[in-house]
Amino acid sequence: MATRKTRTATSPVAADKAAQPQAERTPVVKTATRKAAAKDPRAARVAARQRRLQDQEKAKDARVAKQAAKQVATKKATKKATQAGPRKQPETMPAQHLSKPGNEHELQLAPRFLAPDYRGSGKLKGKRAIITGADSGIGRAVAVLFAREGADVAVLHLDEAADAKVTRQHVEAEGGRCVVIAGDVRDPTFCNKAVKQVAKAFGGIDILVNNAAFQLHCERLEDLEDAHLQETLQTNIGGYIQMARAVLPHLQEGDCIINTGSETGLFGSKSLIDYSATKGAIHAFTQALASQLLPRGIRVNAVAPGPVWTPLNPADKPPADVAAFGKDSDMGRPAQPEELSPAYVFLASPITASYISGVILPVMGGPRG
């Protein structure tokens, strides 16, 4: 367990300092006493298994790589990227490929997660949250804003210790306590142990954000390996159900669960059959659980993002496809994580969403992402 930070010594986070402009640098306060999160050997095995699946899919892609490269090279942008926020966001992503499970610090263009124009106002003061997949991407951005709004945050991740450390530093810099736990949400034993550890550290749990995900493209359903299918199903929907089941005994009236869905769960994706199916299942799970828990005063909602610049896609697609990522969205660019995180704050806070449950909130940059 990380203790509350002091407010005396501050220094920029090294990883963000190199990738972000001066205005985005957040001071990080070092905690006097902190135990490093124990590395889970099972989580390391899961990460190794995901990399093997990734390598198998790369071999299948070789037969169509030449044609795909030609299509990308000749593809022209159909519209100018839309900028609708307080600062201009990146429009073109670097052509890069990451090994699974995907480390944010390896991205050539660092995702923006600090939301410097967002001002906290105590919407989550005293709340205690668990966020799965909070080492990077949307999960990290949500962790930062939750802390800015007064919450303590438990960061659950698979095997990305360096990224999780950066998230913890930012949570503590915002004034929140932070616990970092590595493990596999596919394992119900891990889910139960992690929840008990967080409840003991924080004295309870008020919010669960299910966000961990596995994504690996497959161009033909006939090529979808059983191991690939099970990895997707057990992580994306099995893990959500198991985490919710483990957390529920700790939730009370006024508490909430937020699930991360996807535009693919609404519209599908031809190269992500299994992933799309799990995201659709997450939407249905959200609405079913919301109905079940309504008499107990526990709200359940989901956010359905469009394309977002996180390690998820560079750890899936070939570099040429990554360079074109988000170009076909309504806004002509992918979102940055900081453009998604306020939606999670909105749904988490009883101040702003006390009458909202069973909602799939689309944050897709347009009606179809």
Side-chain angles (χ1 to χ4, degrees):
M1 182 189 83
T3 58
R4 279 195 179 275
K5 73 177 188 70
T6 61
R7 298 181 179 273
T8 55
T10 61
S11 62
V13 176
D16 213 42
K17 179 179 178 182
Q20 306 274 9
Q22 180 66 37
E24 287 191 62
R25 298 179 188 172
T26 300
V28 174
V29 180
K30 296 183 178 179
T31 308
T33 59
R34 177 192 299 150
K35 292 184 179 179
K39 193 172 182 66
D40 189 334
R42 290 173 298 181
R45 288 196 294 271
V46 171
R49 182 177 65 244
Q50 291 183 359
R51 286 191 287 272
R52 287 195 298 272
L53 291 170
Q54 182 183 36
D55 289 341
Q56 291 172 7
E57 202 58 47
K58 284 183 193 176
K60 295 172 188 175
D61 289 343
R63 63 176 178 252
V64 295
K66 186 178 295 185
Q67 179 183 355
K70 182 178 180 181
Q71 290 175 345
V72 171
T74 57
K75 186 176 180 180
K76 295 182 179 179
T78 58
K79 57 176 138 355
K80 183 179 178 181
T82 300
Q83 299 286 345
R87 62 175 180 164
K88 186 175 181 179
Q89 300 289 3
E91 299 177 2
T92 302
M93 303 301 107
Q96 184 181 8
H97 183 70
L98 302 178
S99 295
K100 284 193 175 297
N103 290 302
E104 184 156 314
H105 68 267
E106 294 178 359
L107 285 173
Q108 293 172 5
L109 176 65
R112 293 182 172 183
F113 62 90
L114 289 175
D117 298 293
Y118 184 100
R119 300 290 179 263
S121 57
K123 295 183 185 67
L124 299 176
K125 185 177 181 180
K127 298 293 185 182
R128 299 149 299 185
I130 293 178
I131 307 174
T132 68
D135 55 282
S136 63
I138 294 172
R140 175 187 285 181
V142 173
V144 170
L145 285 201
F146 274 20
R148 194 172 298 171
E149 288 289 1
D152 297 321
V153 180
V155 172
L156 271 59
H157 69 102
L158 181 60
D159 194 43
E160 310 89 340
D163 282 347
K165 180 179 179 181
V166 172
T167 302
R168 178 177 63 189
Q169 290 173 328
H170 280 285
V171 167
E172 292 177 347
E174 296 288 350
R177 293 180 293 173
C178 188
V179 172
V180 176
I181 307 173
D184 182 10
V185 294
R186 294 164 17 116
D187 179 7
T189 300
F190 165 74
C191 295
N192 290 325
K193 286 183 177 179
V195 166
K196 289 178 182 178
Q197 181 178 340
V198 174
K200 182 178 180 180
F202 292 161
I205 301 169
D206 307 291
I207 302 166
L208 168 65
V209 177
N210 275 318
N211 177 68
F214 175 78
Q215 174 186 305
L216 183 61
H217 71 282
C218 183
E219 300 299 334
R220 304 195 321 151
L221 184 59
E222 305 95 304
D223 294 333
L224 182 62
E225 303 283 349
D226 288 343
H228 176 171
L229 175 61
Q230 290 304 315
E231 195 76 25
T232 310
L233 293 175
Q234 296 304 323
T235 302
N236 295 4
I237 183 62
Y240 279 39
I241 293 173
Q242 286 165 178
M243 282 298 303
R245 184 176 60 187
V247 165
L248 267 175
H250 300 272
L251 300 186
Q252 301 177 4
E253 184 177 55
D255 295 339
C256 70
I257 296 172
I258 305 172
N259 298 316
T260 299
S262 170
E263 64 173 358
T264 64
L266 299 172
F267 310 120
S269 173
K270 65 180 181 180
S271 62
L272 295 170
I273 296 291
D274 56 322
Y275 180 83
S276 299
T278 60
K279 290 300 182 176
I282 288 167
H283 297 169
F285 167 60
T286 297
Q287 294 175 321
L289 188 60
S291 179
Q292 184 180 106
L293 297 182
L294 191 61
R296 294 161 61 175
I298 300 171
R299 299 178 298 105
V300 186
N301 293 291
V303 176
V308 187
W309 183 238
T310 75
L312 191 67
N313 279 279
D316 174 17
K317 300 178 179 180
D321 289 351
V322 174
F325 178 59
K327 290 290 186 181
D328 58 352
S329 69
D330 289 341
M331 283 202 173
R333 64 173 179 85
Q336 291 294 318
E338 67 183 16
E339 296 181 281
L340 271 291
S341 49
Y344 288 79
V345 173
F346 168 71
L347 291 176
S349 175
I351 297 172
T352 54
S354 61
Y355 202 65
I356 299 175
S357 192
V359 164
I360 313 300
L361 178 61
V363 187
M364 305 184 302
R368 282 193 62 88

